[in-house]
Amino acid sequence: MKKQIALVPGDGIGPDIVGEAVRVLDAVAARFGHAFTFAECLAGGVAIDARGEPLPAETLQACRGADAVLLGAVGGPKWDALGGSQRPEKALLGLRGGLGLFCNLRPAVLFSQLRDACPLRADIIGDGLDIMVVRELTGGIYFGDRGRNAAGDEAYDTMRYSVAEVERIARLAFGIARQRHRRVCSVDKHNILETSRLWRETVTRVARDFPDVALSHMYVDNAAMQLVRNPRQFDVIVTENMFGDILSDEASMITGSIGMLPSASLRLDHFGMYEPIHGSAPDIAGKDLANPIATILSAAMMLRYTFAMPAEAQAIEQAVGRVLDAGLRTADIAAKGEATVGTRAMGDAIVDALA
Ligand code: IPM
Ligand code: MG
């Protein structure tokens, strides 16, 4: 199959890790007889420097025209002083909104090879963690009206949701639960927020179409607590944009594998943007220190969810597993005193394991 992939390396370690993912995708193409072509575009701080804006129109255009998007990371201290609409992060929101990517999948899994990196007690993690956070990505308070009063001493952000927005993310979450352990926990703040009441009513109604999936509801503050108290109770968590932002960071951290976890941002036609969940780590940029695995696993998600190539996706995941089994570790996942390899060597090993 021929596929065109837009690459948005972004800032910091973005180019380091996206480069390795491209080499892995080339290896997959060679092994399975596909033709992947890549077009690189600017977004984030590098786009501010080169074009004066975080998300140039040509980047959005190129992403729209591609079959899928692979993104590294954006942001860094260099651009921290910029105002809200000119920050690198604006590129992410612009891509998500502009491409209509309303569904964000953030798997939080514990890699058995990295068990010791998990900060939770062994009796809490039991035989492992495998949670899928389904975050609504183009609505809620991150996309609502915001501003200041005339005097500038008061500010507001608004959270709004429509039934249609809640319904489509809920349907997706139930569909995903069907391919897992058939449990959905919908997280809201129903005791306070009107948007949460609409959210809960809608999710409850959608659940009737999925009688084989068990639905529960949880307040977001309790969910934050339950994630560290008893994370194994969760299969799929579905929640609105800001709650999902916060809970997905927490979920990833309890696996101890922040450098390992991929994500997918999707719409109904399966078009998607794929990126590691970690940030741009500017302090180690260009030093051959970053862990490319989260981005490589993001490429695997692209193959699975957008290109419908499950065997190819699995080949990447197995290659990563073999390399971890062989004891290769970048600095972020190494135990104290353990030998480490660089970005490039990790990429090489995964490419070799694929061949
Ligand atoms: C994330 C990030 C972004 C978000 C920021 C950088 C805009 O935290 O992808 O979770 O909050 O969505
Ligand atoms: Mg976040």
Side-chain angles (χ1 to χ4, degrees):
M1 253 191 268
K2 280 200 174 96
K3 296 290 179 191
Q4 228 250 307
I5 299 166
L7 297 178
V8 187
D11 306 317
I13 57 171
D16 307 348
I17 56 184
V18 166
E20 296 311 310
V22 166
R23 294 172 60 224
V24 168
L25 284 167
D26 281 337
V28 167
R31 172 166 157 195
F32 290 88
H34 300 303
F36 298 146
T37 53
F38 303 95
E40 209 169 305
C41 348
L42 287 177
V46 285
I48 296 174
D49 290 350
R51 300 272 192 282
E53 49 179 338
L55 182 60
E58 76 236 32
T59 293
L60 192 54
Q61 189 96 27
C63 292
R64 279 200 181 114
D67 294 310
V69 183
L70 183 67
L71 185 138
V74 299
K78 185 175 173 196
W79 305 281
D80 269 354
L82 295 171
S85 68
Q86 281 309 313
R87 293 179 57 97
E89 289 82 357
K90 194 74 192 166
L92 269 186
L93 295 183
L95 282 167
R96 292 167 182 170
L99 298 170
L101 305 171
F102 69 91
C103 173
N104 188 214
L105 303 183
R106 297 191 169 186
V109 299
L110 184 74
F111 291 82
S112 55
Q113 300 93 338
L114 304 179
R115 236 194 151 79
D116 292 341
C118 174
L120 298 181
R121 276 202 325 262
D123 62 305
I124 295 177
I125 43 174
D127 55 3
L129 295 176
D130 180 1
I131 302 169
M132 180 66 90
V133 179
V134 180
R135 168 187 175 191
E136 201 292 326
L137 201 60
T138 52
I141 198 166
Y142 290 5
F143 282 83
D145 279 346
R146 67 183 99 258
R148 301 238 174 147
N149 66 349
D153 60 357
E154 211 180 285
Y156 63 93
D157 298 279
T158 28
M159 174 154 3
R160 55 159 295 287
Y161 268 107
S162 68
V163 167
E165 284 172 315
V166 181
E167 193 167 324
R168 63 182 182 180
I169 191 78
R171 282 193 186 284
L172 250 151
F174 283 107
I176 286 163
R178 272 192 170 152
Q179 297 159 26
R180 298 173 46 99
H181 302 289
R182 294 174 189 259
R183 282 183 284 129
V184 169
C185 179
S186 172
V187 171
D188 60 36
K189 192 72 186 175
H190 175 267
N191 47 349
I192 306 284
L193 300 176
E194 195 56 35
T195 42
S196 283
R197 292 185 191 118
L198 184 90
W199 180 278
R200 195 178 280 212
E201 280 160 30
T202 307
V203 173
T204 303
R205 185 164 43 72
V206 168
R208 289 190 210 126
D209 294 340
F210 299 84
D212 52 323
V213 177
L215 170 66
S216 59
H217 301 277
M218 199 179 274
Y219 295 143
V220 62
D221 44 354
N222 185 29
M225 182 176 84
Q226 295 298 333
L227 269 172
V228 289
R229 199 186 76 90
N230 177 18
R232 275 182 300 157
Q233 71 187 284
F234 297 110
D235 177 23
V236 172
I237 291 177
V238 63
T239 191
E240 67 89 39
N241 201 343
M242 180 170 62
F243 296 163
D245 184 21
I246 298 166
L247 292 181
S248 62
D249 266 31
E250 187 186 1
S252 64
M253 197 62 227
I254 62 171
T255 71
S257 314
I258 191 109
M260 303 284 298
L261 299 178
S263 77
S265 303
L266 299 165
R267 54 184 199 216
L268 283 180
D269 64 1
H270 301 290
F271 177 86
M273 180 164 86
Y274 297 82
E275 57 182 302
I277 63 153
H278 60 70
S280 60
D283 50 319
I284 58 165
K287 295 184 179 161
D288 196 38
L289 283 173
N291 183 352
I293 293 181
T295 314
I296 288 168
L297 291 175
S298 298
M301 281 186 102
M302 171 188 291
L303 299 178
R304 176 170 288 117
Y305 289 104
T306 295
F307 297 165
M309 299 178 179
E312 290 84 337
Q314 211 186 7
I316 294 181
E317 288 156 359
Q318 284 171 348
V320 169
R322 273 202 292 280
V323 165
L324 292 175
D325 286 340
L328 260 76
R329 301 284 185 268
T330 43
D332 59 307
I333 54 172
K336 259 203 175 74
E338 213 173 9
T340 62
V341 298
T343 311
R344 187 84 195 183
M346 183 59 97
D348 283 341
I350 295 169
V351 165
D352 286 349
L354 256 170

